Amino acid sequence: MKDKITPFQLSTLLVTFIGISNHVILIPILLDTASRDAWISVLAAIIPSLLLGLLYVYLYKSIPASLSTWMLEKAPTFVWLMFTLLFTAYFLTQASISIRDTIMWSNSSYLTYTPQWVVGLCLIGISYFTARKGLAAIAITNGILLPWIIAAGFYVMTVNFQYKDYHYLFPIFKNSAQAITKGAWYTTSGITEIFLVLFLKDEVKGKLSRLNICLVVLMLIELTFGPLTGVIAMFGPFEATLLRYPAYEQWRMAAIGSMLSQTDFLSIYQWLAGAFIRISLGIYIIHTLWVKKWKHPEILLILISSVLLVVNLLRLSDVNFHNQVRNYYSSSILFCSVVCIVILICIWVGKNKKAVQRNG
């Protein structure tokens, strides 16, 4: 029997999986959308995000097995195939975005003369070997990496207080209500990725409580709110909007006295650790979608990893990539909402059928 993970380990996986995306991808989009009022958008997203998290807990408790297993057992073959193809494309997109963003950042910061395919091959290779060991291995690895990611975050926040002027956050509501609402939409879109718990239920022992998910949502909101307000306070709202990786530009200022003036190497650890967990988990979930219908699980993992490598070798300018990701954030919440509504309808119809059968 495979080793199962605890609800706490699942919660920490969610924090790393979604947190790196919110740090790297979401913050630039929020600044482009709402500028100085971006932090207001994040606060406005708290209630919708919590409600969304509670909906996922309800769905998690309502289905007897993971979503992929449930669909395989209950749905017709054609419906299962459409479902599997849809979510395969979804998680491939998630992993591809993380890989491409990591490659581009690495090439622009500390690996300027290294070919992109070398960075991509190394990142996908180590993610493949971790996914091959199973969810428990990913969770244990995450348990080792995450505390140091958080510690590095507290460090950069603390040492950079001297450079921050929080007056830059005011006055508020300088942008239109539409811009702030759109920023809240983007923030909530990032939180929708919590729905991956529905794909991991088979390998979780113990109950996932509402408190677990609410704490995860609040941590993810803080992981967006903290760096976002920090970059505005440090660089100002207009300069921050021009930065490609605003959360990591703060590391260029971080220093300990005059003897240790460059500590931005810690940002490399933060980014690579988060991206590694996100890609590994993405590969693993895609593997679980097909493995029960696939005769050779090892070949399946190699195929998934190869597809990711080929996709990220395609030429795409940074501007086009950023625009495509922005569009993805706009549509992801709609996508997840539709899926949740369909699942709720299926659960409701199934319960009604059982009630009719019991009553004769």
Side-chain angles (χ1 to χ4, degrees):
M1 182 180 291
K2 292 182 179 179
D3 293 332
K4 293 191 174 185
I5 66 174
T6 65
F8 175 76
Q9 288 177 307
L10 178 60
S11 299
T12 59
L13 278 173
L14 290 175
V15 171
T16 308
F17 183 88
I18 305 173
I20 184 63
S21 176
N22 287 5
H23 247 66
V24 175
I25 298 170
L26 181 58
I27 290 178
I29 293 175
L30 288 174
L31 287 168
D32 285 346
T33 304
S35 188
R36 192 199 306 269
D37 290 325
W39 66 278
I40 301 294
S41 296
V42 176
L43 295 180
I46 293 177
I47 299 302
S49 298
L50 286 171
L51 293 175
L52 201 61
L54 292 174
L55 172 62
Y56 290 144
V57 174
Y58 173 77
L59 293 176
Y60 181 88
K61 292 181 177 179
S62 298
I63 55 178
S66 69
L67 197 54
S68 53
T69 302
W70 185 57
M71 289 295 293
L72 181 63
E73 294 175 352
K74 302 294 183 182
T77 302
F78 176 76
V79 175
W80 170 84
L81 181 60
M82 291 298 99
F83 165 86
T84 304
L85 287 172
L86 186 64
F87 279 98
T88 297
Y90 184 85
F91 285 108
L92 275 174
T93 302
Q94 300 291 335
S96 295
I97 289 173
S98 293
I99 293 167
R100 181 173 288 273
D101 227 14
T102 302
I103 291 173
M104 295 172 73
W105 176 69
S106 299
N107 282 153
S108 65
S109 56
Y110 64 96
L111 292 177
T112 53
Y113 296 106
T114 303
Q116 292 188 3
W117 69 267
V118 174
V119 180
L121 182 62
C122 292
L123 186 59
I124 294 171
I126 192 171
S127 299
Y128 155 75
F129 280 109
T130 307
R132 184 169 174 265
K133 295 297 182 180
L135 184 62
I138 299 173
I140 293 170
T141 305
N142 181 61
I144 297 170
L145 297 176
L146 182 58
W148 298 104
I149 296 175
I150 295 173
F154 277 113
Y155 160 75
V156 71
M157 176 186 69
T158 303
V159 299
N160 280 340
F161 268 130
Q162 57 184 317
Y163 306 119
K164 295 178 183 178
D165 183 357
Y166 284 95
H167 289 98
Y168 281 131
L169 300 178
F170 302 96
I172 60 175
F173 303 125
K174 294 289 286 184
N175 293 274
S176 66
Q178 182 181 2
I180 296 173
T181 303
K182 196 171 183 179
W185 173 274
Y186 285 136
T187 305
T188 309
S189 299
I191 304 297
T192 57
E193 291 187 336
I194 290 177
F195 85 102
L196 67 87
V197 300
L198 303 177
F199 292 87
L200 301 176
K201 184 171 183 177
D202 288 345
E203 298 185 59
V204 180
K205 59 181 179 182
K207 296 180 179 179
L208 183 67
S209 68
R210 288 186 289 269
L211 179 61
N212 273 105
I213 291 297
C214 286
L215 289 175
V216 168
V217 169
L218 292 175
M219 285 187 68
L220 292 172
I221 291 291
E222 197 283 327
L223 283 172
T224 307
F225 181 81
L228 180 61
T229 54
V231 74
I232 294 174
M234 182 176 292
F235 300 106
F238 307 110
E239 184 66 27
T241 305
L242 300 175
L243 299 175
R244 178 61 181 88
Y245 304 108
Y248 287 89
E249 292 298 330
Q250 300 177 64
W251 279 100
R252 297 183 184 276
M253 306 288 289
I256 303 176
S258 59
M259 301 301 293
L260 189 57
S261 59
Q262 293 293 324
T263 57
D264 53 348
F265 60 88
L266 292 173
S267 69
I268 300 174
Y269 168 80
Q270 266 193 324
W271 188 313
L272 292 183
F276 157 66
I277 293 297
R278 185 173 174 84
I279 297 163
S280 299
L281 192 54
I283 293 174
Y284 179 79
I285 292 175
I286 297 169
H287 178 259
T288 62
L289 290 172
W290 293 97
V291 68
K292 292 181 180 179
K293 289 279 190 176
W294 200 279
K295 294 182 179 180
H296 305 287
E298 185 67 32
I299 296 177
L300 176 59
L301 278 172
I302 295 173
L303 179 62
I304 296 167
S305 303
S306 300
V307 169
L308 286 173
L309 181 60
V310 171
V311 167
N312 283 279
L313 291 178
L314 300 176
R315 292 184 177 275
L316 183 66
S317 71
D318 191 38
V319 174
N320 288 334
F321 173 72
H322 187 64
N323 291 334
Q324 292 298 325
V325 171
R326 184 202 295 269
N327 294 332
Y328 147 74
Y329 262 90
S330 298
S331 59
S332 63
I333 188 171
L334 181 62
F335 167 79
C336 295
S337 299
V338 170
V339 170
C340 289
I341 290 171
V342 171
I343 296 171
L344 281 170
I345 292 172
C346 292
I347 292 170
W348 181 75
V349 170
K351 287 183 177 179
N352 282 352
K353 282 185 177 179
K354 289 182 179 178
V356 170
Q357 291 174 354
R358 283 197 300 267
N359 295 329

